[in-house]
Amino acid sequence: MKKSPIILSIIAILLLIGCSKDASNEFDLNQLTRIDISEEKSEREFIITEKEKIKSLRKIISRIEWKTDIKPQMAENEDVKATLFYTYDINMPERLTEYSIWFSKEDGSAEIFHREKNALGTLDKENAKTLKELIINN
């Protein structure tokens, strides 16, 4: 019995979807390998790839307290845009996510907007200071 090309195509698509569970919507901080930084005010751009800095940034990012479905209501443009690169498989393209970051001059905290998840996160004064030192004072 001959199978139609449409049925074979549907089976192939279902197999691809079933086998692509590694490409979930969640990002594993252990797979973070690079961060591209763009400082909006100074128009300075640079890349962070040093293992120790990436390790420190993983710790800071894991401490962000997120609130979902919130759009930032900021009076000014972000201080920094950070594009995070996650490498899950050396044979596959990196997965990216982008953060907009504002550093508060009043209380020293930081607010981070996760564009893909439409979530707003905050860091306390101590963690915000460490984040700023790692990404701005590069």
Side-chain angles (χ1 to χ4, degrees), residues 7-119:
I7 293 175
L8 291 175
S9 297
I10 291 172
I11 291 171
I13 290 171
L14 291 174
L15 285 172
L16 285 172
I17 291 171
C19 294
S20 64
K21 65 183 176 187
D22 291 336
S24 70
N25 287 335
E26 293 299 315
F27 292 99
D28 181 359
L29 286 175
N30 291 322
Q31 304 301 321
L32 180 63
T33 55
R34 173 178 143 195
I35 301 176
D36 288 3
I37 302 293
S38 174
E39 288 183 48
E40 296 301 303
K41 293 175 181 142
S42 68
E43 296 183 10
R44 187 175 84 127
E45 295 182 1
F46 55 93
I47 299 171
I48 299 172
T49 57
E50 297 89 359
K51 290 186 187 302
E52 285 305 309
K53 278 191 179 184
I54 294 292
K55 186 177 177 181
S56 297
L57 286 164
R58 285 180 186 140
K59 287 180 186 175
I60 296 295
I61 293 167
S62 71
R63 294 178 182 150
I64 298 173
E65 295 178 23
W66 295 103
K67 294 179 185 172
T68 57
D69 296 323
I70 297 176
K71 289 216 174 207
Q73 302 291 323
M74 305 299 180
E76 298 179 13
N77 288 339
E78 61 272 309
D79 296 311
V80 174
K81 281 187 185 175
T83 304
L84 285 65
F85 291 73
Y86 296 87
T87 303
Y88 289 96
D89 183 341
I90 59 170
N91 298 318
M92 298 293 292
E94 296 166 309
R95 296 201 50 224
L96 311 177
T97 189
E98 189 174 296
Y99 291 165
S100 293
I101 305 170
W102 292 265
F103 293 103
S104 173
K105 292 174 182 75
E106 287 113 35
D107 65 1
S109 67
E111 293 198 357
I112 301 97
F113 181 60
H114 189 298
R115 293 182 187 276
E116 185 175 306
K117 292 186 178 183
N118 197 34

Side-chain angles (χ1 to χ4, degrees), residues 117-131:
K117 292 186 178 183
N118 197 34
L120 189 64
T122 57
L123 279 174
D124 61 25
K125 182 179 180 177
E126 181 181 321
N127 287 307
K129 180 182 177 196
T130 304
L131 176 65

